[in-house]
Amino acid sequence: MKRIAYALGLAGLAAAIALVARTGWHAVLDALAVAGWPLLWLVPLRVAPVALDALGWRVLLAPRDRPGRARWPVLLAVAAVREAVNKLLPVAGVGGELVGIRIVTGRGLDAVPVAASVITEVVLTLVSLVLFAALGLLLLVAWTRGGASIDGLWVGLLAAVPIPVAGLWLISEGRLASWLARFSRWVTAGNPQTPAWLASMPAFEAELSALARRRGRLALTVLLQVLGMMAGAAEVWLALRWLGHPVAVVPALIIESAVLFVRNLAFAVPAGLGAQEAGIVLICAALGLPQEVAIGLALAKRMREVLFGLPALLGWHLWETVGGLPALRKRAGP
């Protein structure tokens, strides 16, 4: 699997370089020069969408966190680590969730409810992505008055709908745990140790079923996730303004919805290399933005991912080596 990930990553990197070269290095650098240092403000502004995601996670986890060991500020820090792992490391977009489970259980919470909340949150994120992409398509139709050719986009969106629907069905029917057990054994082939949250399968299934019955909390989590995605559109709005091509709020929402959908669709490509850049170029072309500006926006997003993610990865490394790992070993025993 690692070889496939590396091959996809190299192919995506080559595609991204080809896009920049086709546009022209000088044109892209000129667009970035217009923006200058203000683009660095995109790094701290990323806290807003991540904070809304962490709040949605807290909504799911709160009923099982009676000691209050995983309050919202803690989950905000963990959510930043999860995003950094998923976006900067070759983990097919799911390694961050496993890291999040590890960190939160290291604070003394039972692994089963923590894992159940993360798995449920991932399924709800797929629902939120489809809803946000549908909103973006409707806005695109209204904004271009039907001038943009989006038949292929509707087909892609409709093809993705069964995935979150299947996830919700698996949770509600109590079948997700057994499927995850088979998936875990396939991924960790050669590793005889079963994750703690899958070792007690009946308890895990019961926890997932209990979460599925809390419809109000599920709906609130989806709402917070969609709001987080909409808050992420502020990054597009500001970056384009600094790049010298200001747009209204609606085009920023359209671009962000398309980028998120394409990025998650290409989850097997490490960091979405190439896929994210191609998505930005295509949707910006549909909105009439120059290609050099689209590439500048793509590079600005990459810059923010690296500068926001590296400190989070460093914090995770320090937690593993100094704080959390000894506590996990102590709880595990000899």
Side-chain angles (χ1 to χ4, degrees), residues 305-319:
E305 287 178 5
V306 172
L307 295 182
F308 184 82
L310 286 180
L313 291 178
L314 177 60
W316 171 42
H317 173 72
L318 292 176
W319 182 89

Side-chain angles (χ1 to χ4, degrees), residues 124-141:
L124 295 179
T125 300
L126 296 176
V127 176
S128 302
L129 279 170
V130 171
L131 292 175
F132 191 46
L135 173 65
L137 280 177
L138 292 174
L139 291 175
L140 180 59
V141 171

Side-chain angles (χ1 to χ4, degrees), residues 4 29 38 56 101 138 166 168 174 201 213 215 246 249 279 304 314:
I4 296 175
L29 291 176
I101 294 171
L138 292 174
L168 290 173
M201 193 62 63
R213 289 192 296 269
R215 305 295 172 83
V249 174
R304 188 268 303 157
L314 177 60

Side-chain angles (χ1 to χ4, degrees), residues 52-333:
L52 287 166
D53 283 343
L55 191 57
W57 185 13
R58 175 64 187 167
V59 168
L60 297 176
L61 188 58
R64 298 299 186 187
D65 184 27
R66 298 304 181 191
R69 294 172 181 170
R71 296 187 182 277
W72 176 71
V74 174
L75 295 182
L76 172 58
V78 178
V81 174
R82 286 172 54 180
E83 179 175 279
V85 171
N86 285 337
K87 291 194 172 182
L88 298 181
L89 300 182
V91 292
V94 295
E97 279 61 49
L98 299 178
V99 171
I101 294 171
R102 180 181 176 87
I103 295 175
V104 175
T105 53
R107 294 183 59 84
L109 271 72
D110 186 13
V112 171
V114 174
S117 69
V118 171
I119 297 300
T120 304
E121 186 200 17
V122 170
V123 173
L124 295 179
T125 300
L126 296 176
V127 176
S128 302
L129 279 170
V130 171
L131 292 175
F132 191 46
L135 173 65
L137 280 177
L138 292 174
L139 291 175
L140 180 59
V141 171
W143 189 259
T144 60
R145 294 178 174 83
S149 178
I150 60 171
D151 292 342
L153 298 177
W154 280 115
V155 171
L157 179 61
L158 292 175
V161 168
I163 299 175
V165 171
L168 290 173
W169 177 76
L170 287 171
I171 289 177
S172 61
E173 295 294 323
R175 301 183 184 185
L176 185 61
S178 58
W179 183 86
L180 284 173
R182 291 194 296 270
F183 179 74
S184 177
R185 285 192 291 270
W186 175 69
V187 172
T188 60
N191 184 5
Q193 186 177 3
T194 303
W197 53 278
L198 285 176
S200 53
M201 193 62 63
F204 186 57
E205 288 183 341
E207 194 67 38
L208 280 175
S209 298
L211 265 178
R213 289 192 296 269
R214 296 188 174 98
R215 305 295 172 83
R217 289 185 176 273
L218 299 183
L220 180 56
T221 298
V222 169
L223 175 61
L224 290 169
Q225 288 177 343
V226 172
L227 288 176
M229 295 172 187
M230 294 176 72
E235 174 180 278
V236 175
W237 186 82
L238 284 170
L240 289 175
R241 179 169 293 273
W242 289 329
L243 287 166
H245 284 75
V247 297
V249 174
V250 171
L253 286 170
I254 294 170
I255 294 171
E256 183 67 11
S257 66
V259 172
L260 282 178
F261 188 75
V262 171
R263 175 70 181 261
N264 285 274
L265 204 62
F267 66 92
V269 181
L273 284 171
Q276 177 170 293
E277 286 73 17
I280 291 176
V281 169
L282 290 175
I283 195 63
C284 286
L287 293 170
L289 290 171
Q291 188 165 337
E292 63 271 16
V293 174
I295 294 295
L297 174 62
L299 294 178
K301 276 183 165 289
R302 289 294 180 190
M303 176 272 298
R304 188 268 303 157
E305 287 178 5
V306 172
L307 295 182
F308 184 82
L310 286 180
L313 291 178
L314 177 60
W316 171 42
H317 173 72
L318 292 176
W319 182 89
E320 290 278 3
T321 55
V322 178
L325 190 56
L328 283 174
R329 288 174 175 169
K330 183 177 180 180
R331 290 174 60 199

